[in-house]
Each structure stands twice: as structure tokens, then as C-alpha cells.
């Protein structure tokens, strides 16, 4: 595995690979890699000849008072995991490489970023779209793989590359969960076993909501209410939002008629967790690990 830290080196390598006709996949991450990340890597390897994984804890997507400083950084353990999987290139730049002094250019997607996470994390998506655009410029991949765990992020990035005519295919891979149902997340490292057990209320709530829709409930408010009950009955929780939206546009729904994204952001003992499922009336959801 090649370890690259400079953008211009990655650009040179990527151009060389392209000349050889190799298909390149990029998997952007913030590190502290878990099985969710690794599933994206495996997907990328199936779809491309060369897989580049980036690890960069992007300061511009963290708001004031959020966990940027505390965010887990485990580069040598991450490197070992990626090497074991046979990843070709690890791109792990530092802040000075990504945002040199006087940095002033940002990418902003309007509309879809003002809902859900956008309401509670102002500026978050501006940071995400800026760094993803920079990573795409650095790696020039044919495809980039993102997780359904961050459903809104995947939609925002799809919109960005479409509207800015970036020649890359965005692939979205299913959410990987613990056996308990808890969605894997680097932030789960902030939780002990007992807290992780309580955190399963989020997925339990979402599943119940999905079940209601499958069984014919069309009123989003009733679905939200049932999920909220489950989460609020769990000690130490505080809800940022529980929401039912159109799965493609994230539009608010008066009535659930087609594919709906049911999503939640919940604080558990001071740790913010997000999760979601996609469901449709009368359509049975796929198994547990494949939302
Ligand atoms: P992060 O390191 O949290 O920025 O995540 C990097 C990528 O991994 C994003 O595309 C996430 O959506 C994806 N990801 C994070 N957790 C999971 C998970 N449990 N299952 C699948 N993908 C995930």
C-alpha cells in the first residue's frame, strides 16, 4: 500500500493509472475505521482496479463546540486494516496540505442542505462538500463510495457532482450495524457497553416506524410520534430530530406514498448519533444489515 500525503503526488499517480486504463475508486473517510468503512472499501475494490482510501479529519465540517479535537485519530491501526484488505493507496494529508494559509474557496449546495442535519449543524455540509470536492480533484476517481449511514450527505454529494459536472459515479453502500442493530460509527468509541445498549433505542425506533409504514400507516406525524416515544423512554437521550422525508428529494411529506427516508439524530449522554432507514408502503424491508 502506498502512503501519500501530498495532493500533487496523488494527482500524478492518478494520472499515471488512468493512462494505463485503470479504473479508480475513492473512499473518503475521517478514519477510526470500523466494519462500516471497510464494507465501503470492499465495495470499491469490487468495482474498480485501484482503490484509494482517504483519511482526513476535516476541521471545516465540525461546528463550534463540536468534537473536532476529541474525534478519534488512529492512523497506524487504520493503516494496518487497509493494508490487510489490500488497499492500493492511502491518502492521509494534514491540515496545511488541505487548507494552506489564506484558504478561501468553498463549495455550497443549497436547498437539500438546509434540512435535517443542516438545521442542527450549520456549516457542516459546506465543509463536507468542500473537502469532498477537493478529494475528488486530488484523486480523479471514476467512482467514489459513500455510506447510507449518512443518507443526507450522500444525496448532497450526488447533487454536487451532478450540478458541477464532475465526471465521477457516486456509489452508496448499505449501513453496517452491530448485532444489536446499532449503526457502526467512529463516535461509538465515545460510548461504553451500557451506553451502546441504550443507543439501540434509535434503530429499534426506526424499525418500528418502518414497520408501521409497511403495514399501511401513511401519516408521517404518527410514525414520528411512535419513534419519539421509544427514544424518549430511554434514559439519557435528547432528540435533535426524528423525521420522515421523501427518500430522493428529502422533501417533507404530508402523506407517505413512496420511498421514504426515516431519519433520526439523538444525543445519548452527550454523544450525538445519527441513523436512518428507507422504507415504502407495503414493501418489506431487506434484512437488518442492509438498509
Ligand atoms: P466518516 O469516517 O464517519 O466520515 O465516514 C466515512 C464514510 O463511511 C461515509 O461515507 C459514511 O457514510 C460511511 N460510513 C460510516 N459509518 C458507516 C456504517 N455503519 N455503514 C456504512 N457506511 C458507513
Amino acid at each position: 500500500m502506498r502512503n501519500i500525503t501530498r495532493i500533487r503526488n496523488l494527482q500524478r499517480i492518478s494520472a499515471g493509472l488512468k493512462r494505463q486504463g485503470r479504473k479508480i475508486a475513492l473512499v473518503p473517510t475521517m478514519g477510526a475505521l470500523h466494519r462500516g468503512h471497510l464494507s465501503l472499501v470492499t465495495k470499491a475494490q469490487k468495482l474498480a482496479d485501484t482503490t484509494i482510501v482517504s483519511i482526513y479529519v476535516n476541521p471545516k465540517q465540525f461546528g463550534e463546540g463540536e468534537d473536532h479535537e476529541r474525534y478519534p485519530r488512529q492512523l497506524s491501526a487504520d493503516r494496518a486494516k487497509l493494508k490487510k484488505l489490500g488497499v492500493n493507496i492511502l491518502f492521509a494529508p494534514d491540515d496545511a496540505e488541505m487548507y494552506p494559509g489564506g484558504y478561501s474557496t468553498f463549495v455550497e449546495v443549497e436547498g437539500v442542505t438546509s434540512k435535517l442535519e443542516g438545521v442542527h449543524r450549520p456549516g457542516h455540509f459546506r465543509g463536507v462538500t468542500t473537502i469532498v470536492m477537493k478529494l475528488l480533484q486530488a484523486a480523479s476517481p471514476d467512482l467514489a463510495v459513500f455510506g447510507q449511514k449518512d443518507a443526507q450527505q450522500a444525496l448532497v454529494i450526488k447533487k454536487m457532482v451532478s450540478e458541477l459536472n464532475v465526471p465521477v459515479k457516486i456509489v452508496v453502500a448499505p449501513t453496517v450495524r452491530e448485532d444489536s442493530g446499532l449503526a457502526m460509527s467512529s463516535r461509538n468509541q465515545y460510548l461504553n457497553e451500557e451506553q451502546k445498549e441504550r443507543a439501540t433505542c434509535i434503530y429499534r425506533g426506526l424499525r418500528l416506524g418502518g414497520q408501521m409504514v409497511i403495514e399501511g400507516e401513511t401519516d408521517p406525524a404518527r410514525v414520528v410520534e411512535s419513534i419519539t416515544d421509544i427514544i424518549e423512554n430511554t434514559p439519557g437521550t435528547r432528540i435533535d430530530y426524528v423525521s420522515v422525508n421523501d427518500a430522493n428529494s428529502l422533501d417533507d411529506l404530508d402523506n407517505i406514498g413512496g420511498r421514504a427516508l426515516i431519519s433520526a439524530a439523538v444525543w445519548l449522554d452527550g454523544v450525538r448519533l445519527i441513523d436512518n432507514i428507507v422504507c415504502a408502503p407495503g414493501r418489506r424491508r431487506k434484512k437488518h444489515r442492509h438498509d
Side-chain angles (χ1 to χ4, degrees):
M1 186 172 74
R2 295 177 78 165
N3 289 278
I4 309 292
T5 56
R6 307 302 298 265
I7 294 167
R8 66 167 185 280
N9 288 346
L10 187 60
Q11 286 173 327
R12 189 174 40 74
I13 292 166
S14 169
L17 290 165
K18 291 223 154 145
R19 277 195 299 274
Q20 294 166 31
R22 291 176 76 88
K23 193 167 179 182
I24 302 172
L26 173 68
V27 181
T29 82
M30 298 206 298
L33 301 178
H34 49 68
R35 282 200 288 114
H37 295 118
L38 301 183
S39 76
L40 307 191
V41 172
T42 307
K43 179 119 196 161
Q45 289 174 317
K46 282 198 185 112
L47 298 172
D49 306 306
T50 300
T51 297
I52 304 172
V53 176
S54 65
I55 295 184
Y56 179 59
V57 183
N58 173 32
K60 305 232 184 273
Q61 71 187 70
F62 289 81
E64 198 121 342
E66 290 188 0
D67 57 346
H68 175 249
E69 258 115 84
R70 187 184 171 209
Y71 198 84
R73 289 164 173 84
Q74 303 162 353
L75 192 56
S76 48
D78 288 347
R79 200 180 278 129
K81 289 177 190 169
L82 297 176
K83 204 172 157 191
K84 196 167 162 202
L85 276 186
V87 166
N88 306 94
I89 297 169
L90 168 60
F91 178 56
D94 63 13
D95 289 341
E97 183 69 6
M98 294 317 273
Y99 300 113
Y103 188 89
S104 62
T105 304
F106 293 85
V107 178
E108 202 152 350
V109 174
E110 296 180 351
V112 74
T113 56
S114 62
K115 299 161 175 293
L116 304 173
E117 288 298 284
V119 173
H120 297 273
R121 302 187 70 190
H124 168 67
F125 285 119
R126 181 180 189 251
V128 169
T129 44
T130 299
I131 196 64
V132 171
M133 193 65 197
K134 285 175 69 72
L135 292 168
L136 294 173
Q137 295 297 321
S140 294
D142 297 281
L143 61 104
V145 187
F146 293 85
Q148 175 65 20
K149 160 77 166 43
D150 299 276
Q152 188 179 12
Q153 169 175 280
L155 288 175
V156 168
I157 287 164
K158 277 187 182 170
K159 207 151 197 290
M160 174 186 78
V161 301
S162 161
E163 293 180 359
L164 289 180
N165 315 107
V166 186
V168 64
K169 182 176 161 58
I170 302 302
V171 175
V172 181
T175 301
V176 177
R177 302 178 178 282
E178 306 277 1
D179 289 340
S180 66
L182 178 64
M184 293 203 175
S185 164
S186 303
R187 290 190 170 96
N188 292 353
Q189 291 191 17
Y190 300 144
L191 304 174
N192 62 30
E193 289 309 310
E194 181 273 327
Q195 289 170 315
K196 281 189 199 167
E197 179 51 39
R198 273 187 282 135
T200 60
C201 68
I202 303 170
Y203 185 58
R204 268 190 285 120
L206 293 172
R207 270 175 72 91
L208 172 82
Q211 198 56 39
M212 289 171 73
V213 173
I214 288 166
E215 285 167 8
E217 180 58 75
T218 57
D219 180 358
R222 292 174 66 115
V223 174
V224 167
E225 192 184 304
S226 299
I227 299 170
T228 302
D229 274 353
I230 291 190
I231 296 171
E232 281 182 345
N233 277 325
T234 307
T237 56
R238 183 168 63 77
I239 293 175
D240 264 357
Y241 62 83
V242 172
S243 188
V244 181
N245 299 74
D246 180 276
N248 296 319
S249 63
L250 296 192
D251 285 347
D252 294 325
L253 297 173
D254 296 328
N255 189 54
I256 305 169
R259 262 167 39 89
L261 178 77
I262 312 184
S263 61
V266 177
W267 291 89
L268 188 127
D269 293 352
V271 176
R272 191 173 185 279
L273 302 169
I274 61 170
D275 198 358
N276 67 82
I277 62 167
V278 173
C279 63
R283 237 180 276 165
R284 191 155 292 285
R285 291 184 51 243
K286 284 185 250 165
K287 231 184 75 212
H288 188 87
R289 276 169 198 283
H290 302 279
D291 289 330

